[in-house]
Amino acid sequence: MRSNFLKAQTQLPERTFVREARRASGTEGLIGVSLLAVFVTAALFAPLLAPYDPAAFVGRPLERPGAAFLLGTNDVGQDILSELLFGARVSLVVAVGAAVGTVLLGLLVGGVAGYLGGWVDAALMRGVDVLLALPQLPLIILITTLTGAGLAQMTLTMALLFSPGMARIIRAQMFNQRGRAYVKIAQRFGASPLYIFRRHMLPHLAPLLIVGLVTAAGRAAAMEAGLAFLGLGDPSAKSWGLMMRYALNLPGLLLTDRWLWWLLPPGLCITLLILALTFTGMRLEKRLNPGGQSS
Amino acid sequence: MSAPLLSVQNLRVSFASPDGNVRALDGVALELARGGALAVVGETGSGKTTLARALLGLHPAECVAGSIRLDGDELNRLDEPGWQRVRWRRIALAAQNAGTAFDPVYRAGEQIVEPLRLHLGLSETEAWQRARTLAEQTGLTERHLRAYPHQLSGGEKQRLMLAMALSCQPDLLVLDEPTSGQDMRSRAQMIALLRRLRAQSGLALLLISHDLAAAAALTEQTAVLYAGKVVEAGATRDLLTTPRHPYTWGLLNAYPNMTTTRDLSSIRGQMPDPARPPDGCRFHPRCNQAVDDCRRFEPPLERRGGRLVACHLGGVQTLLQADNLHKTFVTNGHAGPDSLIEAVRGVSLAVLAGEVVGVVGETGSGKTTLGRLLAGLLTPDAGAIYFEGQDIQAVNGAEGKNLRRRIQAIPQDPFESVDPLFTVRQIVRQPLDIQRIQGDRDALVRDALAAVGLPAEGGFLQRRPHELSGGQLQRVVIARALVLEPRLLVADEPVSMLDPSEGARLMNLLKRIQNERGMGMLLISHDLALVRKVADRILVMRGGAIIEQGLSSVVISRPQHDYTRALLLAAPSFNWFPDGSQGADESPDINNTGDQ
């Protein structure tokens, strides 16, 4: 009896905890990936899914949701649902572009610094420190104002701003790998730097890169929405942030229930997209790096 | 110098056999001075006994070609009556199988008297008189002469054989394995007896033996016979202390004695089939250092530094030589000034082809640094390293790649030395991929895995390091080192991470592979008990310098340096309770007989 009691005491909590944790991480991953799939589908098939051309003045201004316009129209008579669907394209293009740029730049700077070490490393890392020390939002506002508001400039600027963090992580991992006995052994066999990078560095960097990619995408999506909302985005690319800006520009929007179908849907979309990317990132981090085995 | 007593030139003995012509002796040349002593040594089947029988004309005349001169008289063209006059009176043979050489129905004495009467024409009484003198000389008594052969012991029969051989006062006594099959005490007596006889009578000895200690004790000159050819000849002392020919070196290493604690090692492979000797040098299939020339051309027996050696390379090659190596590490002290650690200070060493050299010393003695320098994982601050005669710091490019391939390192910790993301197949294949080795790389991988006793099928090939035991992984690491077929292995504490039984298995495996492939090996370990089991030579390191070096047997049995003695005492032993305070149920004589 006593032993059974002890068993129950010691085993039960741990078991349930593990199961719960597993279930939770599985669920969050599922939510993240499904949401992401919805957004990607919307962006890819926007022309097919959208009932109208988002730029065309198809209805009367400020129409309520109905059979013709599922989410109503805005103040100039454009279909809000169509705007929303095409807006996904802008958000995802910026997110993916900035994320890829971040990872590539980080890999370049961190990789070179980590592989070569010495004064190259010192110089590159001081540059990284400077970029990390600067406040990001004011800086990006400054840069987009100076370079003119275009999606490409914005994406590149974000990549530049996000990459220092990435570069640091990559450099640390490269340093870690460079000192490994098996790397020394491969070098003694006559392996070229490219071989070492390809076979011994990149596979160990992969989890970091994938997680970094997803995280950067989430941050980029949020930042793009913010910039567009502030009016610093590309006025020709109608993103969710820009939609919210226009909605809030209507005097007395919040006095009626119009905000429910004009302001709320783009806000919800941004929130859900960032949530989806975050969940996916969390899940990937756990899966690719179980117990910190590869680091 | 006067004309030699015995001069053998280009002696060839061949027998017809169903397999073809068997050349038991192929161009043997020997010389023996009057009163001198020559040992002919070699493994079973090298043609030693054929030589002894040829010197007494015991082979059919058509089988023997070449020249055998005794005091200037050519013996090889003698007919049987001519040989009758030479045998016993001028050359006598004490044959190998003393046990069966006697006629069981005659008394021992009668069998000595017989040749005396026959060859010297002595009367019955004279002959018996002489027989008694001979018996006395060989340490036998009247009683032995009256006994029947079956009543005598092996040693006594051997003496009787000797007495018979000496009966006609020959100029040359041929002894075929006089000491084989005897216990150590009668062997020592036999050697003492032969030495005394030589001193008394000025008799010349030709000793045919595989017993190198007997050769050392009895002779001034030694010839080493291999597959019917003399491969090395010279002064016995020089030859046995600094062997030149790889075969002589192997014979010496295979020779068991009381001062060697090392496990028996052997020359790899088998003596070739005498009907089909290999092309080129006959020893090349078993040689640790064979090059292309050895496979194609037969090496002549040439004079090299006061000795005759038949080897294209002039004898055992130095595989790795290090001259006056220095390595200093700088540790940047964050709190104080930088400090210098002199890890290796003026170390010089050499590893011969096929030799196992053990480097022992405690932690911090610089032995790992030395190993890393020799394996090319570190660059020395001063000094030079030569591998097969090439300065390893001077070569680069394709030659450097080839060089790196021939020296392989086995690190201490297998888990650190493999990429955790690689599979077994990728790990072992990596050196082949990097070096772009032509051919079926996966087949080479399977061969290497099989050589270290691991399964080479699909499932195992796909496993990753964390799925393997320490022993398995260390075997994988060894397979990775072997896949490039190195000439030298630098093994730094290869088994220290493993439990003792797995460690012993792995060490046996490593030693076997080293022996089979004829690789040189530098074994670095703090474990003197382990090193002495496998190493031919031991270097003792302390504070970055070699303080003692020598043959394993000598270093273990007669350590010169206090530090070596301390290491020996600290080595693990089963003498756990030296003060006798062991458990009551243990038998006390275990400790009392165990020497310190």
Side-chain angles (χ1 to χ4, degrees), chain B residues 275-298:
Chain B
R276 284 180 222 86
D279 291 338
C281 175
R282 293 186 177 190
F283 187 58
H284 88 254
R286 305 173 74 187
C287 189
N288 293 330
Q289 54 181 35
V291 296
D292 271 351
D293 274 0
C294 302
R295 285 178 263 277
R296 272 183 278 157
F297 309 111
E298 202 161 327

Side-chain angles (χ1 to χ4, degrees), chain A residues 99-110:
Chain A
V100 169
T102 301
V103 165
L104 286 182
L105 260 176
L107 205 56
L108 186 70
V109 174

Side-chain angles (χ1 to χ4, degrees), chain A residues 36 43-44 56 72 74 85 92 123 155 162 170 173 190 228 242 254-255 270:
Chain A
L36 215 51
L44 282 178
N74 63 11
L85 284 167
L92 280 176
T155 310
F162 297 161
I170 288 167
Q173 179 72 341
L242 199 58
L254 297 171
L255 298 177
I270 291 165

Side-chain angles (χ1 to χ4, degrees), chain A:
Chain A
M1 284 310 286
R2 194 185 156 83
S3 65
N4 277 345
F5 172 74
L6 278 174
K7 224 180 193 172
Q9 282 284 300
T10 51
Q11 288 195 347
L12 204 68
E14 194 206 19
R15 261 205 206 143
T16 45
F17 173 75
V18 168
R19 201 179 296 150
E20 227 154 68
R22 193 171 293 153
R23 192 192 304 140
S25 83
T27 321
E28 99 205 345
L30 195 67
I31 294 171
V33 173
S34 333
L35 274 173
L36 215 51
V38 170
F39 283 119
V40 170
T41 315
L44 282 178
F45 301 106
L48 299 174
L49 295 171
Y52 308 100
D53 178 356
F57 310 108
V58 287
R60 284 176 296 129
L62 299 175
E63 223 171 301
R64 301 183 71 86
F69 308 100
L70 286 174
L71 287 174
T73 59
N74 63 11
D75 57 346
V76 290
Q78 293 163 324
D79 181 39
I80 290 176
L81 179 64
S82 301
E83 276 187 323
L84 214 53
L85 284 167
F86 276 91
R89 289 190 149 188
V90 180
S91 288
L92 280 176
V93 162
V94 172
V96 170
V100 169
T102 301
V103 165
L104 286 182
L105 260 176
L107 205 56
L108 186 70
V109 174
V112 167
Y115 197 89
L116 295 176
W119 66 269
V120 179
D121 171 52
L124 286 171
M125 283 305 113
R126 290 305 75 74
V128 162
D129 288 345
V130 168
L131 276 177
L132 279 173
L134 293 172
Q136 294 195 348
L137 196 63
L139 192 68
I140 202 163
I141 290 170
L142 189 69
I143 294 174
T144 41
T145 320
L146 288 174
T147 57
L151 271 190
Q153 288 99 309
M154 193 196 285
T155 310
L156 275 177
T157 312
M158 282 184 205
L160 186 70
L161 286 178
F162 297 161
S163 61
M166 197 75 230
R168 271 197 152 182
I169 293 170
I170 288 167
R171 171 185 173 270
Q173 179 72 341
M174 297 273 289
F175 257 77
N176 180 352
Q177 288 296 311
R178 212 173 50 152
R180 296 283 169 145
Y182 51 83
V183 171
K184 296 253 158 73
I185 288 167
Q187 282 168 338
R188 221 195 69 88
F189 287 135
S192 62
L194 195 68
Y195 175 94
I196 298 286
F197 183 75
R198 209 161 42 82
R199 298 302 301 272
H200 287 302
M201 306 270 185
L202 215 48
H204 291 268
L205 291 173
L208 296 175
L209 297 182
I210 291 169
V211 172
L213 203 66
V214 175
T215 315
R219 286 175 68 194
M223 193 166 271
E224 186 278 330
L227 288 172
F229 182 75
L230 291 174
L232 295 163
D234 187 345
S236 64
K238 204 164 203 186
S239 70
W240 296 330
L242 199 58
M243 284 172 71
M244 289 169 76
R245 178 181 166 82
Y246 285 147
L248 279 168
N249 273 351
L250 184 76
L253 174 81
L254 297 171
L255 298 177
T256 63
D257 59 358
R258 283 197 187 103
W259 65 273
L260 274 175
W261 57 87
W262 193 7
L263 183 63
L264 192 63
L268 208 60
C269 278
I270 291 165
T271 314
L272 286 177
L273 177 63
I274 294 165
L275 195 73
L277 286 167
T278 310
F279 276 4
T280 312
M282 280 164 74
R283 176 75 189 128
L284 281 173
E285 194 160 13
K286 271 185 202 142
R287 261 207 65 172
L288 295 170
N289 199 6
Q293 185 212 8
S294 69
S295 57

